[in-house]
Amino acid sequence: MTKIFDQASQFASQYIEPVADKLDKEKAFPEEVFDKLHQEKYLELLIPKELGGQGGDIVDHTEVIRAFSAKSATVGLTYMMHNVALNAVVQSGEEATKQKIIKEVIEDGKFLALAYSEPTGGVEFYKPDTTQAVKDGNKWTINGSKSMVTSATFADYYIVIAKTIESEEDAENFLVAKDADGVNFKMELWNGLGMRGNVSCPMDLKDVVVSDQDRLEDPDIVPLFLAGLAAVYSGLNMAIAQEAISHAMDRQYPDGHKLSEVDTIKSHISKIYSNAVSAAAVTKDAVYDGREDLEAAIPKILAARLVATENVNESANLGMRIGGGRAYTGYKNFELYLRDALAGQVMAPSLDMLYQWIGAALTDQDMIQ
């Protein structure tokens, strides 16, 4: 384990674990946790040291997320979205915008999220269809809608992708404040099966005006985003392993033998644990390569996201079998983990798209066409 993983694990045990059940049952965003993330400087993890931050990189990003997700996948996911969006600003923002956001994150604890997915876009979250930005002088006017915006109404800023007629790529990224005129969230439509505390409700943008300074010049969010998701599901998988082991050792039959002594249960636990360890190992291997050469590590990062997602779904199903009938009545966290794991299959990019992207990357083709 790395030092930063150990520190993040201690943070998670102290501040995340006690509220994890509440976040799910009440579909509550982890506001108090984010206050602590600010106090403990996790919100500034990816801000370079020369700009006043912690100077973390893709390895630190995934280690912290994995530790958080072992206690709450919701917290791991929402924190990951902040890191990715903030990195887009640091990487591609105009100097004045960058300095403003960095100051607000460090001093005020403000945080960010992404607004990419659209009702008609499906898994092609990087191709906005309904959201358009039109330039007039040094201003842009944005109209459209987003289908699932993580940390909706809670993040202070959102990175909004919109199609334009100004760019050769026909899509631009803009920094939009939560309280900007014309921004509206439909929280009543949020009813997630899992990851309930991430409150990913729709977002409408009607004549939202932003400065040209708030346009981000082609940020590359893919590596941090996919590595972050791999870390979320690796952490969740380890939580399933710990729950399965604990339950099997505690469950005792009338004749005195324990559930953990049953050969089938031992096999299930072995598979869950192996899934968790392998997902974490693949993720760590990918991001350590990414620390040295991010572009060359893309196939491994894609594979890590895919492996972590497939592994955690298998583990969640096995966890339910270990929990048996009691798990179907909400006993312990088996049912919660199953619902959280299922989110990985529908969160863009989908598993089918990941397979396509890996094949394209390995054969020198463009992943996104």
Side-chain angles (χ1 to χ4, degrees), residues 180-227:
D181 290 340
V183 172
N184 180 52
F185 296 96
K186 297 180 178 179
M187 187 62 75
E188 70 276 8
L189 298 181
W190 169 241
N191 188 28
L193 177 67
M195 301 281 193
R196 288 177 172 172
N198 79 72
V199 294
S200 294
C201 75
M203 172 189 195
D204 285 340
L205 302 107
K206 183 174 176 57
D207 296 330
V208 177
V209 178
V210 298
S211 167
D212 195 45
Q213 281 194 331
D214 292 325
R215 182 177 62 89
L216 306 182
E217 187 68 39
D218 196 25
D220 184 6
I221 71 164
V222 171
L224 275 182
F225 181 71
L226 294 179

Side-chain angles (χ1 to χ4, degrees), residues 35-97:
D35 288 341
K36 293 296 183 181
L37 289 172
H38 168 47
Q39 293 173 21
E40 299 295 326
K41 300 185 182 299
Y42 282 105
L43 293 182
E44 59 192 74
L45 178 69
L46 299 186
I47 297 174
K49 286 186 176 180
E50 61 269 23
L51 298 178
Q54 298 300 302
D57 61 10
I58 191 170
V59 173
D60 304 309
H61 169 70
T62 52
E63 289 288 87
V64 172
I65 292 167
R66 185 161 60 89
F68 289 176
S69 298
K71 299 303 181 184
S72 169
T74 283
V75 173
L77 179 68
T78 51
Y79 174 71
M80 182 273 287
M81 291 293 189
H82 162 73
N83 276 356
V84 174
L86 176 60
N87 183 256
V89 175
V90 172
Q91 175 193 139
S92 305
E94 292 279 346
E95 190 61 29
T97 299

Side-chain angles (χ1 to χ4, degrees), residues 300-320:
K300 280 189 175 183
I301 292 172
L302 290 166
R305 151 74 157 110
L306 191 149
V307 168
T309 304
E310 292 198 323
N311 282 12
V312 78
N313 276 280
E314 180 181 31
S315 295
N317 282 319
L318 289 173
M320 291 295 291

Side-chain angles (χ1 to χ4, degrees), residues 29 113 149-155 158 178 185 187 198-202:
F29 183 81
V149 178
T150 301
S151 307
T153 75
F154 291 94
Y158 300 86
K178 172 180 67 175
F185 296 96
M187 187 62 75
N198 79 72
V199 294
S200 294
C201 75

Side-chain angles (χ1 to χ4, degrees), residues 48 143 173 175 191 218 265:
N143 283 282
N173 288 266
L175 182 69
N191 188 28
D218 196 25
I265 299 302

